[in-house]
Amino acid sequence: MKNKEANKQLTLDILKTVAVLSIIAIIAGALLGVVNYFTQVDEMELLTKKISESGIYQGDGDLSPIEIGDGNKFVYHVFKYENTYVIHCGGDGGYKGEVQILMNITDGKIVNVQKYSSNETYTSKVFAEKFLTPFYNKDLTEVQSFIMVKDKADEDKEISAISGATKSSTAVLNAINNGISWYLSEGGTNE
């Protein structure tokens, strides 16, 4: 008899425990849902804010997002106003992975590049004007893509790597080339 009552009590204890844990899980799930709803970050809103704050685009009109297609896995978002494109793209090959940039192409020429995100150690060097200026104001239909050289750059297509930050330089160059590739195949040259 005692064994039967003990088993019955054990079964009741197990059912109570399961019920209590189920109620806790339901309450925790509901609370997480509420927190997620109120703290969810809209990626497009964040990107638009970053574009506005970075100064990458200083035109008079409002940029509008456009469809980017599937041609380049490193191009994430593109915004356009008339003959200006702001491209959010990335490039691999960095010491710590991918570097993401915002680049402004106006009238078929790069006019500005800004960092969007990077874990690279030498971002201050690879996003300094000294490194970025050689990319600017060159006809992209003639250049097509840039190449990295370790010595002094002699041609329009050549970019000198930053000593001690070759991998970071390469990641930025790859990001820029990815943006150029999209622009030449999908963007401004097809209008």
Side-chain angles (χ1 to χ4, degrees), residues 123-156:
T123 54
S124 61
K125 288 183 179 183
V126 295
F127 287 103
E129 285 302 308
K130 180 179 179 183
F131 179 68
L132 294 175
T133 299
F135 291 103
Y136 297 163
N137 298 315
K138 295 179 180 170
D139 184 345
L140 297 179
T141 57
E142 290 179 18
V143 172
Q144 299 285 312
S145 67
F146 292 96
I147 57 173
M148 187 74 61
V149 294
K150 291 190 178 190
D151 299 322
K152 185 179 179 200
D154 292 329
E155 298 179 28
D156 272 354

Side-chain angles (χ1 to χ4, degrees), residues 12-174:
L12 284 174
D13 288 345
I14 289 173
L15 289 175
K16 284 181 191 177
T17 303
V18 168
V20 168
L21 290 175
S22 296
I23 290 170
I24 291 172
I26 290 169
I27 292 170
L31 288 173
L32 284 173
V34 168
V35 168
N36 184 50
Y37 177 78
F38 287 108
T39 60
Q40 186 175 12
V41 176
D42 180 6
E43 183 182 350
M44 194 59 80
E45 184 179 313
L46 186 64
L47 180 59
T48 304
K49 182 179 178 185
K50 181 87 169 186
I51 288 171
S52 175
E53 291 173 351
S54 71
I56 192 79
Y57 172 70
Q58 298 176 359
D60 295 331
D62 291 333
L63 291 168
S64 300
I66 64 171
E67 190 68 33
I68 59 172
D70 298 328
N72 189 325
K73 72 176 189 170
F74 287 105
V75 175
Y76 306 114
H77 301 95
V78 177
F79 296 85
K80 180 183 182 211
Y81 177 73
E82 292 181 354
N83 59 345
T84 298
Y85 291 80
V86 174
I87 303 172
H88 169 219
C89 54
D92 58 359
Y95 183 71
K96 294 186 177 181
E98 181 183 9
V99 170
Q100 292 186 19
I101 64 168
L102 295 170
M103 65 189 274
N104 178 326
I105 297 176
T106 301
D107 295 326
K109 298 176 182 178
I110 298 171
V111 295
N112 198 345
V113 174
Q114 299 281 327
K115 176 179 86 168
Y116 183 77
S117 69
S118 171
N119 292 324
E120 296 296 296
T121 306
Y122 299 107
T123 54
S124 61
K125 288 183 179 183
V126 295
F127 287 103
E129 285 302 308
K130 180 179 179 183
F131 179 68
L132 294 175
T133 299
F135 291 103
Y136 297 163
N137 298 315
K138 295 179 180 170
D139 184 345
L140 297 179
T141 57
E142 290 179 18
V143 172
Q144 299 285 312
S145 67
F146 292 96
I147 57 173
M148 187 74 61
V149 294
K150 291 190 178 190
D151 299 322
K152 185 179 179 200
D154 292 329
E155 298 179 28
D156 272 354
K157 306 177 87 156
E158 294 181 343
I159 302 295
S160 297
I162 295 175
S163 179
T166 304
K167 287 187 175 192
S168 298
S169 303
T170 300
V172 171
L173 177 123
N174 288 340

